Amino acid sequence: MDERANEIDNAARRAKEIISAQLDDAPDEESIEKLIDLLTAQMDESSEDAKSSGLSEEEQQEAFVKALKEIGESVPDGHYATYVESVLRAVRTPPSGEFLRSSLLVTLVGELEMMVNQLARAAVERQPSTLEDSGRTFTWSEISSYDSLADFRDVVVDRAIEDVLRGSLADWMNYFVKKFKIDPVKVADSYDAQETVQRRHCIVHNAGTVSSLYLTKLGPFKRGGEIGDPLDVDSGYLQRAADTLFLVAFALVWSLAVKLCQEDEHRDRVFSELSNRSYFLLQEHRYDLLIRIGQTAPIQRLPERFRLVVQVNVWLAHKLGGQFDTVRQEIESFDVSARSRDFQLARYALLDDYENAARVADSMMRDDELSKAHYLTWPLLAGVREYRRNAGGDSDVEEGVDVS
């Protein structure tokens, strides 16, 4: 969206569309551009051009009128008023990009809500006894109206989860904590998470401005703001919100898996997916988010094969995110002498020992422990690949030739 912002919010294009809808002749693009520049500068009282012109207000007004007349003389007879009105409409139109970003925030919170819904259903399937103390009662006529016990159970689950989703983000998390005895999802209680959800509510219900409910819900954080203040959603905010809600979802899945997946097979599958996700975040360059995962997730409680994968990815996020000095000592003290070659490779690559990293990578590819595709796409090995290219050997690796 940032890359296409000029196209999305192109006032000249909007003005041309408005003019074309009213006049038979093709719009004069040069005159439109001149009008946009002139009227935009006139509406901007703090315009740098106005400040630096050295003209008095009266002289500036005279210059403005003269420029308008010159443009009016360049367009066909009878078109001038339509051009001015159309350009004014175009430049006064609120930027579309802002609406799109607000819509994305609404969608983002909606996706989290849907995920909470799905996780609640999965958790109830694992532990159906949580429905016993729901407080709901059903008459015999209600129960007998269903074709099967399974249908009736689905309705009971639906209603229980609907009750949960009517609440706030804190209510959603408390449901899992109380019903399934998981550890509290601390990030969900943070200002960033709570504010993101409340901003979504204000966009939907209060025209994107601060409401009294917004201030009440965020009161414990003692952040500023007054009723009616605009709640804009720029790209930076949207990215931070996406990371924060991702972290909430990641932590919730993690906590539920620890509590409800008792079989090794199921637990391994979940944590394999979570560790894979840390790899995908590297590929997506979401380093800040991965660093936050490393700071908040109880990585040390993972089975070793998953723990080390996540740990290496977190270290690499620090390196690629410009924070390598904070983890360098940990990596240097990481003992890989008795570990598999992929961790030896990781340590060498993280510490920029590309000669040894290339040697280990070669041996792993010869033994089919590292595929060519993985070698060519693994962010950890970017420096190794560059080292190979400078040495003129990367093409040999791509062809699978022994270059040791």
Side-chain angles (χ1 to χ4, degrees):
M1 284 180 57
D2 287 342
E3 293 173 357
R4 303 291 294 276
N6 290 334
E7 180 180 342
I8 293 171
D9 293 319
N10 190 316
R13 186 178 66 182
R14 284 202 298 268
K16 285 171 57 180
E17 291 171 353
I18 297 170
I19 293 170
S20 297
Q22 300 177 68
L23 299 174
D24 296 331
D25 297 331
D28 182 340
E29 295 187 16
E30 183 178 354
S31 295
I32 290 173
E33 292 285 358
K34 289 180 179 179
L35 274 173
I36 288 174
D37 292 341
L38 183 62
L39 294 175
T40 300
Q42 181 69 12
M43 289 187 292
D44 184 3
E45 297 178 354
S46 62
S47 168
E48 290 299 324
D49 290 340
K51 290 179 180 179
S52 61
S53 66
L55 301 176
S56 66
E57 289 188 15
E58 183 178 350
E59 291 171 329
Q60 290 178 30
Q61 187 64 25
E62 290 177 356
F64 172 69
V65 172
K66 179 181 178 181
L68 275 178
K69 288 181 178 179
E70 290 176 354
I71 296 173
E73 294 171 355
S74 67
V75 299
D77 185 36
H79 287 201
Y80 178 64
T82 302
Y83 270 61
V84 173
E85 291 172 0
S86 299
V87 168
L88 279 172
R89 283 177 59 187
V91 298
R92 286 173 173 169
T93 301
S96 300
E98 183 175 329
F99 290 114
L100 288 173
R101 286 187 290 271
S102 295
S103 297
L104 283 175
L105 180 65
V106 172
T107 301
L108 185 67
V109 175
E111 288 292 323
L112 178 66
E113 182 175 358
M114 181 58 65
M115 184 173 187
V116 168
N117 183 318
Q118 294 171 331
L119 288 173
R121 291 176 186 278
V124 169
E125 288 289 336
R126 279 274 174 173
Q127 200 168 303
S129 60
T130 56
L131 295 174
E132 294 176 358
D133 58 351
S134 65
R136 285 188 173 274
T137 59
F138 297 87
T139 65
W140 174 250
S141 61
E142 288 178 306
I143 297 173
S144 59
S145 66
Y146 297 99
D147 294 334
S148 67
L149 185 59
D151 290 342
F152 175 65
R153 182 193 61 188
D154 289 342
V155 170
V156 173
V157 172
D158 286 343
R159 292 184 182 178
I161 294 174
E162 285 172 3
D163 288 344
V164 174
L165 294 178
R166 288 193 186 98
S168 64
L169 176 61
D171 294 329
W172 300 350
M173 298 301 111
N174 287 337
Y175 168 78
F176 291 103
V177 171
K178 292 178 180 179
K179 291 290 186 179
F180 302 99
K181 311 303 180 187
I182 67 170
D183 293 334
V185 182
K186 294 180 180 179
V187 66
D189 294 328
S190 68
Y191 172 80
D192 287 345
Q194 296 285 336
E195 196 280 337
T196 296
V197 175
Q198 292 305 317
R199 185 170 298 219
R200 174 267 178 199
H201 296 338
C202 288
I203 289 170
V204 174
H205 301 294
N206 206 50
T209 62
V210 171
S211 66
S212 58
L213 183 60
Y214 175 94
L215 295 177
T216 299
K217 292 290 187 180
L218 300 177
F221 298 100
K222 302 186 186 304
R223 299 290 180 96
E226 296 182 1
I227 293 176
D229 285 351
L231 292 170
D232 298 330
V233 179
D234 59 23
S235 295
Y237 179 89
L238 191 60
Q239 290 170 348
R240 292 189 298 274
D243 283 357
T244 296
L245 297 192
F246 185 103
L247 194 56
V248 171
F250 192 93
L252 181 57
V253 172
W254 185 303
S255 297
L256 285 171
V258 169
K259 191 68 178 182
L260 300 180
C261 294
Q262 301 301 321
E263 301 89 346
D264 289 342
E265 176 187 356
H266 296 161
R267 184 175 293 206
D268 286 357
R269 181 177 177 183
V270 172
F271 286 112
S272 176
E273 290 290 340
L274 292 176
S275 62
N276 287 341
R277 178 52 56 185
S278 70
Y279 176 75
F280 299 149
L281 292 176
L282 282 176
Q283 293 183 316
E284 295 162 8
H285 299 178
R286 297 177 73 178
Y287 307 134
D288 288 343
L289 173 56
L290 190 46
I291 289 171
R292 291 175 69 186
I293 288 175
Q295 293 168 341
T296 59
I299 295 176
Q300 299 305 317
R301 293 172 57 184
L302 282 176
E304 184 178 65
R305 59 189 178 283
F306 301 127
R307 173 174 61 82
L308 293 176
V309 169
V310 176
Q311 184 64 76
V312 167
N313 289 336
V314 169
W315 282 336
L316 182 56
H318 279 85
K319 182 176 182 179
L320 297 177
Q323 302 181 40
F324 191 56
D325 287 344
T326 62
V327 296
R328 179 185 293 275
Q329 189 172 351
E330 290 181 46
I331 298 169
E332 290 175 344
S333 61
F334 179 39
D335 185 5
V336 296
S337 58
R339 301 192 187 281
S340 59
R341 284 185 289 182
D342 49 349
F343 292 111
Q344 296 174 25
L345 172 60
R347 185 177 183 278
Y348 285 136
L350 285 166
L351 295 175
D352 296 343
D353 187 351
Y354 297 135
E355 181 177 359
N356 278 318
R359 173 181 55 79
V360 175
D362 291 341
S363 66
M364 291 177 67
M365 283 190 284
R366 284 198 305 271
D367 296 339
D368 293 328
E369 293 181 9
L370 176 66
S371 70
K372 286 181 287 185
H374 196 189
Y375 168 80
L376 293 171
T377 58
W378 195 358
L380 176 70
L381 301 183
V384 180
R385 294 191 294 270
E386 180 65 22
Y387 169 81
R388 279 288 189 205
R389 283 191 290 272
N390 292 337
D394 210 35
S395 59
D396 292 334
V397 173
E398 293 184 28
E399 297 299 325
V401 177
D402 183 355
V403 292
S404 59

